[in-house]
Amino acid sequence: MVVAWGCSLNMWTTRHGALVDRAAVVVQVDVDAHALGAHRPVDLGLIGDAAETARAASAELGARGHRATGYRTPEVAERLAREGRWQDVPYDEHPGEDGADGPRIDPRTLTIALDGMLPRERTVAVDSGNFMGYPAMFLDVPDEDGLVFTQAFQSVGLGLATAIGAAVARPDRLTVAALGDGGALMSVAELETAVRLGLGLLVLVYDDEAYGAEVHHFGPGGHPLDTVTFPPADLAAVGRGFGCAAATVRTPGDLAAVGAWLAGPRDRPMVVDAKITRSRPSWWLEEAFRGH
């Protein structure tokens, strides 16, 4: 039996249905009657507040003499302690990619290293694209106000503008604009705004020289990719042209320039042009594309 407490059971939360066995009995609890069975058939739908319904179900099970630990086992507790954050989950580095202009860094390695350098009081604004899960997974935020996520619009290029707004609204926190190179190039003129306002904004560009989502979505089907791939660009030099501090990052050692900026007055933005590995799509993008 699978009981969905206030969740929609859509393709994003069930891996397109693969997480629910075909033979399972599915129960859905929601305060909205229209939500019951909206995304997949359910065997029993209950209209009610999730917490109140859970307490009532627990009391009824107790009255009937049912006792179960469920997943609350020592083994699960140990794994949660060991792998409670994405940073703590082991991964295999992407094979080293040396382009014509030098090596490329695994975006996970990049983001984890940056997380250890940044002050805890931070706001992370994430643009859209193949890269977007890396900052969302590996950059910790102190509270719910610390993540600015533009995905409601399903549009590339909004991350820098929202980061500037967040930096103005919360000057007590370091703001990180996490962008793909496609979105960064769309909105690059706003670097002048950040410089003019004197914002201590860290602009982190995951640079794979492409609209990566389109490359990995359409490439396997044999579609031409000339309109979604870019020639190499020195985005650090572009940032300096607007008056930003800047660095190109190809290895973890290149992040020393970010450390120096963090230790300084941070009276102007810093652009980090991170040349990331690009041979593989992100796993969440592969998951999403199964529904399209």
Side-chain angles (χ1 to χ4, degrees):
M1 175 180 285
V2 175
V3 183
W5 302 94
C7 61
S8 63
L9 294 173
N10 63 25
M11 67 177 187
W12 305 108
T13 57
T14 66
R15 293 188 178 174
H16 308 282
L19 289 181
V20 182
D21 190 278
R22 291 180 180 273
V25 175
V26 179
V27 180
Q28 188 177 10
V29 181
D30 205 291
V31 292
D32 181 3
H34 296 290
L36 302 177
H39 294 282
R40 58 151 295 136
V42 298
D43 297 286
L44 176 63
L46 297 175
I47 302 172
D49 175 83
E52 290 182 4
T53 308
R55 283 192 288 267
S58 180
E60 180 65 23
L61 288 169
R64 296 186 182 204
H66 290 279
R67 298 288 185 274
T69 58
Y71 285 104
R72 298 188 182 194
T73 64
E75 292 77 17
V76 171
E78 188 275 332
R79 185 180 177 191
L80 286 172
R82 186 179 71 250
E83 301 181 2
R85 301 187 305 160
W86 278 109
Q87 295 192 15
D88 303 323
V89 178
Y91 65 91
D92 294 325
E93 286 265 355
H94 289 164
E97 295 181 24
D98 289 337
D101 50 359
R104 290 182 167 271
I105 189 170
D106 188 308
R108 297 164 295 182
T109 302
L110 164 76
T111 315
I112 291 170
L114 268 175
D115 183 70
M117 300 172 64
L118 303 178
R120 173 168 171 73
E121 286 299 313
R122 66 182 78 156
T123 303
V124 178
V126 183
D127 207 329
S128 180
N130 179 59
F131 76 93
M132 58 189 264
Y134 300 119
M137 291 164 67
F138 298 117
L139 289 182
D140 286 345
V141 292
D143 52 37
E144 68 276 12
D145 294 329
L147 181 65
V148 181
F149 205 55
T150 65
Q151 281 307 292
F153 294 97
Q154 288 286 300
S155 176
V156 175
L158 302 178
L160 182 55
T162 54
I164 289 172
V168 171
R170 292 296 302 268
D172 56 312
R173 290 182 170 182
L174 171 71
T175 298
V176 180
L179 320 174
D181 53 324
L185 290 168
M186 278 187 187
S187 57
V188 70
E190 294 303 334
L191 288 178
E192 187 278 332
T193 303
V195 170
R196 177 163 33 86
L197 296 176
L199 299 179
L201 176 68
L202 182 64
V203 182
L204 172 60
V205 183
Y206 292 81
D207 186 356
D208 61 358
E209 296 174 5
Y211 292 124
E214 282 68 27
V215 166
H216 295 297
H217 189 28
F218 294 108
H223 298 281
L225 301 175
D226 52 305
T227 58
V228 295
T229 53
F230 318 141
D234 188 346
L235 300 182
V238 172
R240 292 187 192 99
F242 279 101
C244 300
T248 300
V249 173
R250 297 181 178 279
T251 68
D254 295 332
L255 290 171
V258 179
W261 178 80
L262 289 169
R266 302 208 301 258
D267 54 359
R268 57 176 175 158
M270 179 167 196
V271 174
V272 176
D273 183 9
K275 307 294 187 181
I276 62 167
T277 53
R278 52 190 177 176
S279 60
R280 299 178 182 177
S282 55
W283 68 263
W284 59 86
L285 195 72
E286 286 185 303
E287 190 73 49
F289 283 164
R290 291 176 189 168
H292 299 287

